[in-house]
Amino acid sequence: MATDFFVHEKGLCETENVGPRTRIWAFAHVLPGARIGADCNICDGVFIENDVQVGDRVTIKCGVQLWDGVRLGDDVFVGPNATFTNDHFPRSRQYQEKVLQTVVESEASIGANATILPGLRVGRAAMVGAGAVVTHDVPHHAIVVGNPARIVGYTFPSEVRTGSAQEFRPEDIEAQGGPRDLGVGKAQVWPLPHFKDLRGAIVPVEFLKDLPFEPKRQFFVFGVPDNKVRGEHAHKECHQFLVALHGSLNLVLTDGERSAEIRLNRPDIGVYMPPMIWGIQYNFSVDTVLGVYASHPYDSAEYIREFDEFRRLTRKGS
């Protein structure tokens, strides 16, 4: 039977659910129930089980096995010998009634020899580093490395990578005439009043004078483990002003088109986040106390917690 996809003479493809222009190479084996999209490249020695769905333009490098329950979105890259699992407690000749589903969303990349535990979701455009062991869901655009995997950066359109965080001093911002634009919407870094003498230092803040809005609420974030992430949301109407009162953390901002990362590590510098800016805080030191001023009282309906919804509302991003 004529097909519009290619199977190497030493490859075995038992499914007819393969999209056009897909290539299946030598010693690859695809079982009858699998569904493979268009323009995929299935390299030598790949095994794909029945309950597997692969999107369009996916690359699966040599030595990968996709077991029942794996779902790969469009434009996913899976590196050599990456390992997917679907059973938390495997035993010989003991079978699960229902396998856990593992989802790798569109444009994500899985590095060589990475291991993905069952039932997890790797978010859109995320990147799992080579050899990483993924034990929890990976957020959209996150870069994770290590065992267990932890976030070290983000792959937003203007990529935020390890070591890319900007640091600011009040005197540098003041020398430029005031708050400094970060190039992400109307987000800015602000110097705060600060005075220091032999007795120590003080940062006095008058809300109507020293902040870009009048706060209606203040809260503090502390005790965050250094491998955890806070934020991961935007606000529809609420303005925020973030200050590291003690310790340090990294703040990532994106408007869906441009991104920036700032290292907050002193109480005389703050970052102004207007509405419709997606914010993430990570890489907390163990002693961090993050202070946040907010222009509105708390309202759960005012949050945007799904990045796909944020992208839709801003009509930006790929």
Side-chain angles (χ1 to χ4, degrees), residues 36-295:
I36 312 296
D39 297 297
C40 294
N41 192 30
I42 312 299
C43 296
D44 287 18
V46 170
F47 177 73
I48 300 179
E49 213 167 16
N50 283 294
D51 182 20
V52 173
Q53 297 177 16
V54 176
D56 297 334
R57 299 174 301 279
V58 172
T59 296
I60 304 173
K61 301 301 287 186
C62 301
V64 173
Q65 299 87 41
L66 302 182
W67 307 111
D68 286 343
V70 172
R71 306 287 186 265
L72 304 183
D74 296 339
D75 301 294
V76 164
F77 174 86
V78 182
N81 299 303
T83 298
F84 291 86
T85 60
N86 64 6
D87 189 344
H88 279 294
F89 302 101
R91 290 286 187 266
S92 178
R93 303 183 69 82
Q94 296 182 22
Y95 306 105
Q96 303 178 94
E97 292 185 6
K98 182 179 181 180
V99 298
L100 296 171
Q101 193 172 101
T102 300
V103 177
V104 181
E105 297 190 21
S106 297
E107 302 175 31
S109 292
I110 309 296
N113 294 302
T115 298
I116 314 296
L117 294 193
L120 300 183
R121 180 176 292 268
V122 177
R124 179 186 178 94
M127 181 169 290
V128 176
V133 178
V134 179
T135 60
H136 293 83
D137 289 349
V138 178
H140 293 298
H141 291 273
I143 303 170
V144 301
V145 301
N147 179 9
R150 58 176 293 176
I151 296 172
V152 297
Y154 286 84
T155 66
F156 289 113
S158 51
E159 294 198 358
V160 176
R161 299 289 184 88
T162 304
S164 69
Q166 305 175 68
E167 294 190 26
F168 298 93
R169 298 184 305 169
E171 52 267 32
D172 296 334
I173 303 172
E174 292 164 351
Q176 297 177 6
R180 176 172 171 179
D181 292 339
L182 291 170
V184 180
K186 295 183 179 180
Q188 295 176 314
V189 59
W190 279 55
L192 293 174
H194 52 282
F195 303 94
K196 185 176 182 179
D197 59 25
L198 293 175
R199 300 168 298 172
I202 185 172
V203 178
V205 177
E206 297 182 22
F207 289 174
L208 293 178
K209 176 182 177 182
D210 300 316
L211 297 179
F213 57 85
E214 183 177 5
K216 296 293 192 298
R217 178 169 59 105
Q218 183 182 28
F219 60 91
F220 307 102
V221 179
F222 59 95
V224 180
D226 65 357
N227 63 342
K228 299 300 181 184
V229 177
R230 301 283 306 188
E232 294 190 307
H233 61 256
H235 289 275
K236 298 174 184 177
E237 298 180 359
C238 184
H239 300 249
Q240 291 189 316
F241 191 86
L242 286 73
V243 184
L245 301 175
H246 194 264
S248 59
L249 70 146
N250 286 33
L251 171 64
V252 177
L253 307 175
T254 185
D255 59 9
E257 186 176 84
R258 295 170 300 275
S259 307
E261 182 171 5
I262 302 94
R263 184 69 173 166
L264 290 178
N265 55 11
R266 50 192 303 161
D268 51 7
I269 286 287
V271 170
Y272 166 52
M273 284 181 56
M276 298 308 295
I277 297 291
W278 188 267
I280 300 167
Q281 302 100 46
Y282 79 109
N283 195 22
F284 288 76
S285 64
V286 294
D287 57 348
T288 297
V289 179
L290 172 65
V292 182
Y293 300 93
S295 65

